[in-house]
C-alpha cells in the first residue's frame, strides 16, 4: 500500500466529455484575473436589454455595475455547458436523482449548500477507509499518508484560487475564517504578536468599512471587533436594487479606514462587486481588504493574488465539498504577522508553563484536530470543478442567472432584487412576491419539487434597506438546467394566483 | 395543480384569515404583552392580552408580519381566545402545541378550536410548526405577565 496514495489521486471525476486535460494542478484553472461571468450568453434578443433599460443612467453604464470583462479579455468565448454535457454531469450527483413530493427535484438552493458528486463522496470515504490518521504527528505510515494527503489538499485548493500553499488556512467554515481575521486583528490591538503585528492594531479613531449588502458573517464579526477596540463601523450603501453604490466611496473609505470588507458576489443579489475599484481605493488609504468569496470561488475563475485582496474566505460545502471545512486565504506576510485566534495543540513551537511560541502560518491558525477527511474531499471537489473548467461553469451560470432574472422580471407582482436583467450576475436570483410571504412561496415551490431558499438569507440589513423582511432565492450551479429554472419561473407565476396576491 | 397535501396546509380558512386578519392592531395599556421573533425567517409578532370584567379576554390584540400560516394563526387565536379565561388559554396553548408537534398523529379538536382546527395541516410540515406557534408562544409569554 505504501506506494499508493489512497484517496489522494482524485481520480477523474464523472463521465463528462470534452474536459480539458489536466497535466499540472493549475491546468484546469482558467487564467483569469477576476470572477468573470464571461459572455453573459443570453439570447440575441435579450442582449439589448441593458440598452433598453432606457436613459443615460442605464445600469450598464453605471460605475456601480462592474465591468465583468476580464482584464485580458480571456474566456469571453467560454462555452456554456451543452445539454449533453449537463445530462452526463448530473449523473454524477446522486442527490439530484431523487423525487420530491412526487416531482423530479429541481435543486435551486446551491447558494446555501451544493450537492456533491460521487467523486467527492468517494474521495472522503477512500481516505477514511485507507489512510485515516491524525495529521502532523505520529510516526506510523498511515499518519504520514494522512499528513501528505492533507497537505496535498491544501496545495490543490491553493492552486485553484491562485494562492501559495502557505497562504491557505483550513477553518471549519467561512464564518470562522472571517472571525479568525477579526480576532487576529483584535489580538494585535491588545498588543499580541509583537512588532510584526503592530500594523494590524486598530483602536479609537480607526474605521472599518463594510457594505449594506453583507451576509451577517461578514458584518457581525466587524461589529464585535469595533466594540472591542473602539473603532467605528461604516457602510458602503446599496441602491434600491441592492447593488453597491460607490458614488461616495472616497468619502466612506478614507485615511481612517483600516479594514474594507465586502462580498465578491452578493449572496442575495448575485451582483458581482467591482473588486478592482474597491481594492484600488483601499490601497490609496492603506486599508486591508477582506473578501467574502463564498459566492464567487465556487462559481467562476477566481485568482485571489491577481485580485490583490489581503484576506479572503470561502466554504467547502458551497463548492461541491463537505460541510465542516472552510478556507481562509491571506497574503503570506499578513498571515505571518497576524496573531493566532484559536490556540492550543498543533500550532506551537515551544510551550512552557508560562508562555508559548507559535508556528508560522498556516499551522499557527490550525489549533486542535483538523478537518482532514473534509479537506481531502474538498480538494476532490476542486479537481472535479477544474476538470469541467471554471470559465465554462461561469458561462453556464451567467446564462442561468440571466434566464432567472429576465423570467422573474416579467412575472406580474414579482420584484427582482439585485442587478436588472442584462446586467451580469451569477446563477442566482432573489425576489419578492408582492403580498405573499417568502415562506409561502417556498412551500408552494417545494410542493412541486423545487427547492429554493426563503427568509432573510443572513442579510437582514440588506432586506431592511430594500423595504422587505424576507425574500425567495433561487440559486443554481454547474448541474442546474434551463428546465429547473423554467419550472421555478412557472411555479412562481402560479404562486400569485394560489395565494391571491397582494392583500 | 398543487397537491392535496398543500391544499390541506393552506386551507381556504387559513388563506382568508391571512388576508383579512382578526384582532390586528395593538391597543396598549396592558402589562400582558409579548414580542416574539422567529429568527430563522424574521417573522415577528407583538400580542396583548386584555381581560374584561367577567374574567374572560375582551380583546386579544396583535400586530406583526409573517407568512400566511403565522398571520392566520394569530388571527384565529385572537378570535378564539376572546371567549376564554386565562386558565383556558393556558390549557389550549398546551393542546395546540401537542397537536402541532405530533407530525399529524393528533388532530386538533374542532369542538375546542373551531376554525383553528384547520391549522392541524401544519403538523405534517415540521419546518412550519414554528410559524403556526408564533402567536401562541407570544400568548403564553404574555400570560406570565398577566398578574404582574
Amino acid at each position: 500500500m505504501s506506494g499508493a496514495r489512497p484517496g489522494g489521486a482524485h481520480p477523474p471525476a464523472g463521465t463528462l466529455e470534452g474536459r480539458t486535460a489536466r497535466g499540472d494542478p493549475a491546468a484546469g484553472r482558467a487564467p483569469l484575473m477576476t470572477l468573470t461571468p464571461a459572455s453573459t450568453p443570453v439570447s440575441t434578443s435579450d442582449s439589448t436589454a441593458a440598452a433598453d433599460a432606457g436613459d443615460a443612467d442605464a445600469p450598464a453604464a453605471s460605475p456601480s455595475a462592474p465591468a465583468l470583462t476580464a482584464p485580458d479579455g480571456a474566456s469571453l468565448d467560454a462555452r456554456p455547458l451543452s445539454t449533453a454535457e449537463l445530462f452526463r454531469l448530473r449523473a454524477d450527483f446522486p442527490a439530484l436523482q431523487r423525487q420530491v413530493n412526487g416531482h423530479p427535484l429541481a435543486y435551486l438552493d446551491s447558494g446555501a449548500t451544493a450537492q456533491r458528486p460521487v467523486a467527492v463522496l468517494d474521495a472522503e470515504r477512500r481516505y477514511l477507509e485507507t489512510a485515516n490518521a491524525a495529521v502532523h504527528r505520529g510516526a506510523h505510515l498511515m499518519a504520514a499518508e494522512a499528513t501528505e494527503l492533507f497537505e496535498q489538499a491544501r496545495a490543490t485548493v491553493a492552486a485553484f484560487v491562485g494562492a501559495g500553499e502557505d497562504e491557505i488556512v483550513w477553518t471549519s467554515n467561512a464564518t470562522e475564517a472571517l472571525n479568525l481575521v477579526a480576532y487576529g486583528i483584535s489580538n494585535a490591538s491588545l498588543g499580541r504578536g509583537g512588532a510584526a503585528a503592530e500594523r494590524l492594531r486598530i483602536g479609537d479613531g480607526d474605521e472599518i468599512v463594510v457594505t449594506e449588502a453583507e451576509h451577517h458573517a461578514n458584518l457581525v464579526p466587524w461589529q464585535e471587533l469595533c466594540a472591542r477596540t473602539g473603532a467605528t463601523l461604516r457602510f458602503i450603501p446599496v441602491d434600491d436594487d441592492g447593488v453597491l453604490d460607490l458614488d461616495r466611496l472616497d468619502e466612506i473609505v478614507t485615511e481612517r479606514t483600516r479594514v474594507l470588507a465586502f462580498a465578491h458576489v452578493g449572496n442575495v443579489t448575485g451582483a458581482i462587486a467591482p473588486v478592482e475599484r474597491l481594492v484600488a481605493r483601499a490601497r490609496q488609504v492603506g486599508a486591508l481588504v477582506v473578501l467574502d468569496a463564498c459566492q464567487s470561488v465556487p462559481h467562476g475563475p477566481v485568482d485571489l493574488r491577481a485580485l490583490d485582496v489581503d484576506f479572503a474566505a470561502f466554504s467547502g460545502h458551497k463548492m461541491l465539498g463537505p460541510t465542516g471545512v472552510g478556507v481562509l486565504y491571506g497574503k503570506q506576510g499578513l498571515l505571518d504577522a497576524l496573531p493566532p485566534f484559536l490556540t492550543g495543540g498543533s500550532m506551537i513551537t515551544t510551550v512552557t508553563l508560562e508562555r508559548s511560541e507559535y508556528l508560522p502560518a498556516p499551522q499557527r491558525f490550525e489549533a486542535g484536530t483538523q478537518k482532514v477527511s473534509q479537506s481531502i474531499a474538498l480538494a476532490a471537489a476542486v479537481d472535479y470543478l477544474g476538470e469541467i473548467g471554471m470559465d465554462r461553469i461561469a458561462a453556464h451560470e451567467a446564462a442561468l442567472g440571466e434566464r432567472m432574472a429576465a423570467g422573474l422580471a416579467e412575472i406580474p407582482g414579482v420584484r427582482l432584487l439585485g442587478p436588472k436583467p442584462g446586467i451580469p450576475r451569477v446563477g442566482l436570483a432573489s425576489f419578492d412576491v408582492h403580498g405573499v410571504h417568502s415562506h409561502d412561496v417556498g412551500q408552494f415551490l417545494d410542493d412541486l419539487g423545487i427547492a429554493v431558499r426563503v427568509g432573510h438569507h443572513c442579510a437582514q440589513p440588506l432586506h431592511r434597506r430594500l423595504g422587505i423582511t424576507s425574500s425567495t432565492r433561487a440559486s443554481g450551479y454547474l448541474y442546474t438546467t434551463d428546465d429547473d429554472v423554467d419550472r421555478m419561473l412557472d411555479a412562481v407565476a402560479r404562486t400569485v394566483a394560489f395565494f391571491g396576491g397582494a392583500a | 395543480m398543487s397537491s392535496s397535501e398543500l391544499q390541506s396546509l393552506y386551507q381556504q380558512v387559513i388563506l382568508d384569515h391571512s388576508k383579512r386578519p382578526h384582532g390586528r392592531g395593538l391597543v396598549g395599556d396592558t402589562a400582558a404583552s409579548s414580542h416574539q421573533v422567529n429568527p430563522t425567517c424574521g417573522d415577528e409578532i407583538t400580542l396583548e392580552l386584555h381581560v374584561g370584567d367577567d374574567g374572560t379576554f375582551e380583546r386579544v390584540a396583535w400586530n406583526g408580519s409573517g407568512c400566511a400560516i403565522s398571520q392566520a394563526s394569530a388571527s384565529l387565536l385572537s378570535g378564539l381566545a376572546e371567549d376564554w379565561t386565562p386558565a383556558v388559554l393556558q390549557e389550549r396553548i398546551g393542546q395546540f402545541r401537542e397537536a402541532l408537534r405530533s407530525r399529524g398523529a393528533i388532530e386538533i379538536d374542532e369542538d375546542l378550536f373551531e376554525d383553528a382546527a384547520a391549522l392541524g395541516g401544519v403538523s405534517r410540515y415540521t419546518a412550519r410548526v414554528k410559524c403556526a406557534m408564533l402567536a401562541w408562544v407570544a400568548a403564553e409569554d404574555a400570560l406570565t405577565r398577566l398578574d404582574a
Side-chain angles (χ1 to χ4, degrees), chain A residues 413 432-437 499 501-503, chain B residues 19:
Chain A
D432 177 57
V433 182
H434 187 54
V436 184
H437 191 278
F499 289 101
Chain B
K19 293 291 171 201

Side-chain angles (χ1 to χ4, degrees), chain A residues 336-355:
Chain A
D336 283 338
L338 192 70
F341 164 37
L342 298 175
T343 55
S346 304
M347 49 78 71
I348 48 79
T349 52
T350 308
V351 177
T352 67
L353 285 177
E354 290 76 27
R355 57 185 301 279

Side-chain angles (χ1 to χ4, degrees), chain A residues 116-127:
Chain A
R116 300 177 213 168
V118 170
V120 170
L121 302 173
D122 283 352
E124 186 163 13
R125 184 182 185 93
R126 193 164 51 247
Y127 162 75

Side-chain angles (χ1 to χ4, degrees), chain A residues 356-427:
Chain A
S356 302
E357 288 171 8
Y358 306 127
L359 285 163
Q363 274 74 29
R364 173 189 298 176
F365 303 103
E366 295 177 355
T369 304
Q370 288 301 293
K371 286 68 64 175
V372 183
S373 66
Q374 294 94 325
S375 303
I376 289 164
L378 176 55
V382 159
D383 281 343
Y384 185 94
L385 292 167
E387 296 273 350
I388 291 163
M390 293 310 293
D391 53 345
R392 299 198 63 207
I393 292 172
H396 176 63
E397 287 208 40
L400 288 174
E402 177 60 21
R403 195 178 189 93
M404 290 180 188
L408 288 165
E410 283 180 7
I411 302 173
V414 169
R415 172 187 173 193
L416 174 70
L417 311 179
K420 297 269 193 283
I423 308 291
R425 61 165 65 223
V426 297

Side-chain angles (χ1 to χ4, degrees), chain B residues 19-108:
Chain B
K19 293 291 171 201
R20 287 172 292 279
H22 175 85
R24 191 172 178 130
L26 296 176
V27 180
D29 194 29
T30 175
S33 162
S34 174
H35 176 71
Q36 296 291 326
V37 175
N38 183 342
T40 58
C41 55
D43 287 2
E44 57 186 311
I45 190 170
T46 302
L47 183 142
E48 298 170 345
L49 300 175
H50 298 274
V51 182
D53 295 336
D54 66 353
T56 65
F57 295 107
E58 67 179 10
R59 188 156 192 175
V60 175
W62 62 278
N63 207 354
S65 62
C67 63
I69 302 294
S70 74
Q71 301 297 286
S73 186
S75 171
L76 286 157
L77 169 63
S78 170
L80 274 174
E82 283 169 10
D83 290 328
W84 293 344
T85 62
V88 171
L89 173 59
Q90 187 82 58
E91 187 185 357
R92 295 288 177 270
I93 291 169
Q95 292 165 326
F96 187 75
R97 176 182 282 126
E98 188 186 7
L100 281 192
R101 288 184 177 174
S102 74
R103 294 172 182 263
I106 301 172
E107 291 202 5
I108 297 181

